[in-house]
Amino acid sequence: MKVSLQSVITLYPLSIRKDKKHYIVEEPISGEFFELPEIGVDAIKRLEQGEELVSIEHALKNSYPDEEVDIVDFVEQLLELGLVQEVDGVLVKKEQSKSTSRSGGFLWIPQSVGRLFFNGAMNKIYLLLLIANIIILILNPELFPHYKDIFLFDSMVLNILMYLSISLVLILIHEFGHILAIRAHDLPAKLSIGNRLIFIVFETDLTQAWKLDPKKRNILYLAGISFEQVILSLSFGIMLLFPGAGITGVLGIIVLDIFIKFIYQCCFYMKTDVYYVVENITGCYNLMENGRIYLNSLFKKHRKDGENHKEIFQNEWNLIRLYSVFYIVGVVLTLILAVMYFVPQLYYTYMTIYMNLLGAGDRAAFWDAIVFLVMTMFMLFLLVFVARKQKDEN
């Protein structure tokens, strides 16, 4: 649909709220959120008041002399975002957003239940548990997880089933933390399946959290880690009080799984829960994208590219450079986890499977190896399926 300076524009009803640096604009019908600078919000308010595009452009040029103003281009961007209802009296066809399904997410959970787990007192307790768990691990190095903790049985099939079962339960508890936290604000959430790197994960869609202040959003993003700290402290307590108990093997898997996931949260080259907290604190909501641009510029031959980026990023320049350091640290942490846990686990597992296939074990061990290989193929198929589904949705 063509837009000109003579066009008459009608927007959908919008909700606008001031954030740390810019403004968060919500289109209530689709439930989608957008970040806009002050000049964009000023233009929207003038459009809502029925001002002509020519007068809006003139007013914006006077009010923002340092900004490049093109009101036609701005309206075309609003069209692409689905915020324009009519152009010259003609209704703009709008595709139904997938986000509309979010409105029904877990509304059966009362707000009071969410507040029971996430309030001022409980949030402080979760922080104290995190500190206590770190201290316990420092004072009791024997509790530090080892890569062989997942091998409780001689059967690799039983080992993988046990680990996957425990990991699945912990993932659901983590995501349920996010769900309870957002329900504490009487907002909906949506649970879906995705993948990060080679791992299949559950993901809670917290898009509606943009209705909240940044400080409150941080609690939502840290809710999963908070629930994990409760489980970790209980596991440490039982392992210290009953060191010889039969359940310590299972607790070892729990500790290993939570430990790896906690380190994984600090890998800022992926959009983890902690990454979103950093975005909220800084108010820089394109931190990863801008950080990648900066890192790419370091490998270019001409230094002018870096200087141009400095002008573009302006006040965020130092923050983006600092983030780039943590980006690299995250990659290093992933490699360390691979060296300490993933590679040794894979080597031990498939060496055992290989030996069992050659007949090093009994007949049961041979068939255990066959079943394990079939399970591995199924997991790879599932990973490819989820990855393709995610790509199609995007």
Side-chain angles (χ1 to χ4, degrees), residues 168-201:
L168 176 61
V169 171
L170 291 176
I171 288 172
L172 291 175
I173 291 173
H174 177 102
E175 298 306 323
F176 210 66
H178 291 305
I179 292 168
L180 286 174
I182 198 169
R183 288 301 300 137
H185 297 280
D186 201 25
L187 295 173
K190 181 183 177 183
L191 190 64
S192 59
I193 300 178
N195 72 289
R196 285 181 185 159
L197 298 181
I198 63 171
F199 303 104
I200 297 173
V201 296

Side-chain angles (χ1 to χ4, degrees), residues 227-238:
F227 270 26
E228 288 176 344
Q229 297 312 305
V230 176
I231 298 172
L232 191 58
S233 63
L234 290 173
S235 299
F236 281 155
I238 296 174

